[in-house]
Structures are given as structure tokens and as C-alpha cells.
């Protein structure tokens, strides 16, 4: 696990004034991303600081970095973070330490750098954020045990959790081509649907469009095919975290998913938050994995590591907000419909990676994992509408007077993640946002 150092010091403030007290991006966070500056379509590597973005290439050009920090800053000039991820933790940590020092209000470079800040800082609101990496492969897990139980109960009331669940991290291979950055509109998909009572399927727009609240996990250094990553080394291969909304068409899913898992119900769009929150940034928010109770099986040895059990879980509050045409019309704020926590993951991130490579499967820098939907044990924290509305049977009532069973056109879904502790400065992930556009009816054979 990443160590605590001066970059986590709660007394450290930045000369970038908007960073101090910023809910997501104080100087203790320093997330990595890819952006285009105003009026320029070039992709550049950057670090979020308050309401601003530090341009790493511009900072390297004025000799802000040396050694490993310089190599790290230069690695992002390719317009994605894959090469930086491939360099591994030491380079990423060196870059963090140096950027923290550069932006520190009491740092030895503060006066010199703040004088020329116009050359290296951009207002984030004027920039475009992109996917941070070329995503080779995307895997979605199912590590939220309360979600697995809730959804299982809808399909199998007597036997909600399948017997393999507590032994093996369940997952499936997703699709990387349709992963989009926060803000990209999401088109309501069409597909083959079959209502339970219908005799045969039809083709049309989904009527049961849903979100899934997930933690995204960025892979750093990969492994060679045939060489599993042992759980004791798994952290060294994690480059960071994001929020992930695994948009799901439940009526397509329920008809297509057996026997080999979801397919077109999931791969029309997956939205991620664009900033990569590093393992160093979340180091103060590591906690023990929730202990298994007496009757639960102990994981097999390749999934067990004492240190990982002691400090391998994350303590992040996760929230889902809905904004609807009715809320907008009445000038109401987005309404929070769920609050959950990464504490509700049944498997740690290290267990997911150790399992994924346990058969010799190789992962590569810039691969992305989804945790699976994370739900709290009670209805105020369910991470998808199919759970919150009990399969669409019990609609959510919104402050606008509207009801929602599933998402409607014009609805916006915002996911947020924030830390919660008094001992350290709060950090957040930035928004993971998407708005539903109407689908277009497609006529085949016309
Ligand atoms: Mn999912």
C-alpha cells in the first residue's frame, strides 16, 4: 500500500486558491487526466488542482521536473496515460511529490511558479476532458454482495445468492469501444426484448434503462501471459480509480443473459469519470476488509493476504443523483437517490486482480475493471434502479412530483465519490455524468 507522506499533510495549502477547501481536488488529491485546452484539440496530460488543470507538458517545458518525475511528465505527451501507467508506482509517486511541492503555497518554487501560472494552468471549465487511457480490455466484476443478493432475489426469491459467490470473484469480459468520458450523451438503445408474459420477443427501444454505481479500477504495469500476479503484489499493478456507470437495459438483459452473461444490454455505453484518482491519493482512506462471519468460507489461499485484509479496502462514500426534466423545470437541484460505500465490496481490488490473472491471463497498462454495482444493505443505498424500485414495481417519488421506475429521456445521472474522515483532507473523484437522449426507432428490412 502507498505510504503516507508530506503530500497528505492536512496543513498543506496551495497557492491555487480554489484548491483550498475544494470538495474534490485539494492539493492532497492531484488526480491525473487527459484534456484539451480551450481552442485547441490537442490531447495533453494534466493534473486537477481546485478549479484549474496543471498542464504537465507545459510544466516540463519550463523545467519543473527532473529524474523520475520528469520521465513521468514526459510519458503523458503521447496524449494518454498508458505509458505513465506502464512506468509503475515509483514514477507516479515521484510526479505526485514534485507537483505537490510546486503547488504548495509554502513551497520553495511557489513565488516563481505562481508568477508564470498562466503558462501552465488552465481553467478546467474551459477545457475538454477525454478518456485518460486507450482502454485495451474492460472487465466488469460483481463484487457488491448486497447488489448480487438484491438482484438475485428478484430472479430467485428462495435462493438469491448463488453458491459460488462467496468463493470466487464473479466477472465477465465487457467491451472497451463504447466506454465514454463523463458528459457524453447516452442514447437509449434498441434491442431484442421479451416481457415475461409475452409469447415471443420483439425489437424496440428499451423501456427499462438503468444505471449501475461502480468503482472503476485502472491497471498499471501488466503481466506476461502465463505469469499470474500474486495477491501480495497486486497493489503494485493498480494505477488508480474512477467512477463507472455501467448503463444497463434490463429488458434486453433478462432475455439475453442466459447462459453466457450480459451482451448488448450493457455494451451500448459505459460512462467513466475522467480523472484517475491515484493509489497515493486514497492511501489515507484504506481500511480493513469487512470480516467474514463464522459461517462464511475463507477464500482459497491465492485470494488471501493478511495485509490486504488489514488495509486493502477503501472507505469512500458513493452517491447517485438524478436530474429530470421535471426537476429542471421547477429549478430544483439534482435529487440524491442513493448513498452507498466502497466498504460494501465483498472482494478487495487486489483479490479481483489476483483472480483475473490466476489462470495466466495477462492484463495491460490502461485496462479497466468495474467493481460491479455497489449497494448498501438498505434501500437508501441501492446502486441501481432495478433494486431501488424492486424490479420496477415500486417507483421512486421525486421532489418534482415525478415518479421513476426506470430512466426516461432527458434524465441525467450523476455519480459522486467522496472520502469521509476528519483526520485527513477530504478528496473526491469529480463527477461521472450522463444524460439520456431519445433513441431513434430503427426499422429493419423496410
Ligand atoms: Mn455492472
Amino acid at each position: 500500500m502507498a505510504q503516507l507522506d508530506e503530500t497528505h499533510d492536512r496543513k498543506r495549502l496551495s497557492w491555487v486558491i480554489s484548491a483550498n477547501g475544494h470538495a474534490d481536488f485539494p492539493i492532497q488529491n492531484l488526480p491525473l487526466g487527459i484534456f484539451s485546452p480551450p481552442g485547441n484539440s490537442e490531447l495533453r496530460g494534466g493534473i486537477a488542482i481546485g478549479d484549474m488543470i496543471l498542464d504537465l507538458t507545459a510544466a516540463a517545458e519550463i523545467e519543473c521536473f527532473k529524474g523520475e518525475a520528469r520521465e513521468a511528465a514526459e510519458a503523458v505527451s503521447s496524449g494518454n496515460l498508458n505509458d505513465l501507467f506502464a512506468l509503475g508506482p515509483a514514477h507516479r509517486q515521484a510526479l505526485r511529490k514534485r507537483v505537490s511541492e510546486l503547488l504548495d503555497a509554502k513551497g520553495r518554487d511557489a513565488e516563481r511558479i505562481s508568477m508564470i501560472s498562466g503558462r501552465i494552468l488552465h481553467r478546467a471549465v474551459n477545457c475538454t476532458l477525454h478518456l485518460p487511457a486507450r482502454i485495451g480490455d474492460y472487465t466488469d466484476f460483481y463484487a457488491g454482495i448486497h447488489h448480487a443478493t438484491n438482484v438475485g432475489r428478484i430472479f430467485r426469491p428462495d435462493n438469491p445468492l448463488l453458491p459460488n459467490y462467496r468463493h470466487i470473484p464473479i466477472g465477465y469480459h465487457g467491451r472497451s469501444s463504447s466506454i465514454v468520458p463523463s458528459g457524453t450523451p447516452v442514447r437509449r438503445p434498441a434491442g431484442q426484448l421479451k416481457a415475461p408474459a409475452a409469447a415471443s420477443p420483439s425489437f424496440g427501444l428499451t423501456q427499462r434503462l438503468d444505471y449501475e454505481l461502480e468503482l472503476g479500477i485502472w491497471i498499471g504495469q501488466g503481466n506476461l501471459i502465463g505469469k499470474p500476479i500474486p495477491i501480495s503484489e497486486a497493489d503494485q499493478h493498480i494505477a488508480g480509480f474512477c467512477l463507472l456507470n455501467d448503463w444497463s437495459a434490463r429488458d434486453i438483459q433478462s432475455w439475453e443473459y442466459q447462459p453466457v452473461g450480459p451482451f448488448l444490454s450493457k455494451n451500448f455505453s459505459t460512462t467513466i469519470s475522467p480523472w484517475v484518482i491515484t493509489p497515493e491519493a486514497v492511501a489515507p482512506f484504506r481500511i480493513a476488509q469487512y470480516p467474514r462471519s463464522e459461517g462464511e468460507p475463507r477464500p482459497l489461499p491465492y485470494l488471501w493476504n493478511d495485509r490486504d485484509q488489514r488495509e486493502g479496502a477503501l472507505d469512500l462514500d458513493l452517491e447517485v443523483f438524478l436530474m429530470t426534466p421535471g426537476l429542471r423545470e421547477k429549478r430544483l437541484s439534482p435529487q440524491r437517490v442513493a448513498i452507498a460505500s466502497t466498504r460494501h465490496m465483498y472482494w478487495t481490488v487486489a483479490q479481483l486482480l489476483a483472480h483475473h490473472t490466476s489462470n495466466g491471463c495477462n492484463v495491460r497498462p490502461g485496462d479497466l475493471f468495474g467493481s460491479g454495482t455497489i449497494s448498501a444493505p438498505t434501500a437508501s443505498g441501492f446502486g441501481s434502479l432495478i433494486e431501488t424500485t424492486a424490479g420496477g414495481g415500486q417507483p421512486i417519488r421525486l421532489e418534482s412530483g415525478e415518479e421513476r421506475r426506470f430512466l426516461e429521456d432527458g434524465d441525467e445521472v450523476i455519480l459522486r465519490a467522496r472520502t469521509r474522515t476528519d483526520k485527513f483532507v477530504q478528496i473526491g473523484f469529480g463527477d461521472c455524468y450522463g444524460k439520456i437522449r431519445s433513441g431513434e426507432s430503427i426499422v429493419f428490412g423496410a
Side-chain angles (χ1 to χ4, degrees):
M1 294 300 150
Q3 299 298 307
L4 299 188
D5 58 32
E6 71 278 9
T7 65
H8 303 98
D9 183 352
R10 60 180 298 164
K11 293 201 214 75
R12 185 168 282 195
L13 297 172
S14 178
W15 51 263
V16 179
I17 299 301
S18 63
N20 304 323
H22 196 278
D24 288 322
F25 307 132
I27 193 171
Q28 288 78 9
N29 192 345
L30 304 178
L32 299 156
I34 296 291
F35 74 101
S36 300
N40 185 339
S41 59
E42 192 189 346
L43 303 185
R44 303 177 77 94
I47 286 185
I49 177 75
D51 295 338
M52 310 296 280
I53 298 174
L54 173 72
D55 183 329
L56 287 171
T57 303
E61 280 165 9
I62 60 166
E63 311 287 329
C64 285
F65 305 114
K66 54 180 196 260
E68 285 179 323
R70 183 183 182 93
E71 288 165 17
E74 286 173 353
V76 304
S77 62
S78 48
N80 58 63
L81 300 181
N82 296 70
D83 292 345
L84 174 58
F85 289 173
L87 287 173
H91 281 81
R92 192 180 64 231
Q93 288 157 8
L95 181 64
R96 173 182 171 86
K97 282 200 178 189
R98 179 58 183 145
V99 169
S100 179
E101 185 181 59
L102 281 171
L103 297 173
D104 180 354
K106 291 186 178 161
R108 57 191 158 88
D109 300 310
E111 199 171 308
R112 177 175 71 91
I113 299 295
S114 61
M115 293 286 282
I116 53 164
S117 65
R119 289 168 64 184
I120 56 169
L121 288 177
H122 303 277
R123 293 185 64 81
V125 70
N126 298 331
C127 297
T128 306
L129 283 155
H130 303 277
L131 289 179
R134 273 182 286 104
I135 304 167
D137 281 292
Y138 160 52
T139 300
D140 197 23
F141 284 94
Y142 201 50
I145 190 169
H146 305 302
H147 169 77
T149 307
N150 291 334
V151 172
R153 191 174 289 124
I154 293 169
F155 294 106
R156 297 175 301 276
D158 302 331
N159 181 27
L161 207 59
L162 291 168
N164 58 2
Y165 190 85
R166 290 185 163 90
H167 294 274
I168 186 168
I170 304 293
Y172 68 96
H173 286 121
R175 186 156 184 92
S176 55
S177 65
S178 51
I179 299 175
V180 295
S182 178
T184 308
V186 173
R187 187 184 293 269
R188 177 179 297 274
Q192 197 176 127
L193 322 162
K194 185 182 157 305
S200 56
S202 58
F203 190 91
L205 293 173
T206 177
Q207 301 304 304
R208 290 164 75 91
L209 184 57
D210 202 352
Y211 52 79
E212 289 193 342
L213 169 63
E214 302 197 20
L215 179 72
I217 300 142
W218 289 104
I219 302 301
Q221 287 178 317
N223 60 310
L224 295 174
I225 190 165
K227 296 275 186 202
I229 297 172
I231 189 163
S232 59
E233 294 169 20
D235 304 333
Q236 299 296 307
H237 295 263
I238 303 296
F241 304 95
C242 63
L243 283 159
L244 184 150
N245 185 342
D246 178 22
W247 304 97
S248 299
R250 302 300 181 190
D251 40 10
I252 300 173
Q253 184 180 353
S254 60
W255 171 234
E256 74 172 4
Y257 87 102
Q258 288 178 315
V260 296
F263 182 38
L264 302 182
S265 56
K266 299 272 193 177
N267 69 6
F268 57 94
S269 274
T270 303
T271 301
I272 59 171
S273 57
W275 291 108
V276 177
I277 311 300
T278 64
E280 290 69 49
V282 298
F285 312 103
R286 291 284 188 172
I287 53 172
Q289 176 65 356
Y290 193 78
R292 294 187 173 212
S293 56
E294 278 295 300
E296 289 182 281
R298 186 181 163 102
L300 289 168
Y302 80 98
L303 291 172
W304 188 270
N305 177 268
D306 287 334
R307 186 156 173 245
D308 182 50
Q309 291 295 309
R310 246 184 359 253
E311 55 189 71
L314 284 164
D315 191 12
L316 297 165
D317 280 346
L318 305 173
E319 297 173 295
V320 183
F321 293 83
L322 270 187
M323 189 64 179
T324 63
L327 287 166
R328 274 196 299 275
E329 197 172 297
K330 296 201 160 143
R331 298 180 181 279
L332 295 165
S333 307
Q335 187 169 332
R336 189 169 75 188
V337 291
I339 176 160
S341 167
T342 44
R343 290 168 176 259
H344 300 125
M345 287 170 65
Y346 194 71
W347 300 99
T348 66
V349 169
Q351 285 174 317
L352 299 180
L353 180 56
H355 182 63
H356 202 308
T357 63
S358 62
N359 64 344
C361 173
N362 53 325
V363 295
R364 294 175 292 194
D367 283 0
L368 182 68
F369 292 177
S371 59
T373 308
I374 299 176
S375 289
T378 56
S380 60
F382 290 169
S384 67
L385 282 173
I386 195 171
E387 293 166 85
T388 309
T389 68
Q394 297 164 16
I396 300 181
R397 273 167 239 292
L398 300 173
E399 287 156 26
S400 52
E402 296 164 293
E403 287 189 347
R404 283 293 180 277
R405 295 166 196 272
F406 290 97
L407 296 170
E408 297 190 7
D409 292 348
D411 285 356
E412 300 163 62
V413 178
I414 305 138
L415 309 183
R416 285 190 190 139
R418 299 255 163 88
T419 60
R420 179 181 39 119
T421 163
D422 294 335
K423 287 201 305 208
F424 293 93
V425 173
Q426 172 184 283
I427 64 168
F429 279 37
D431 287 357
C432 177
Y433 163 88
K435 182 173 182 177
I436 308 301
R437 283 206 310 208
S438 64
E440 280 153 30
S441 50
I442 303 167
V443 182
F444 290 98

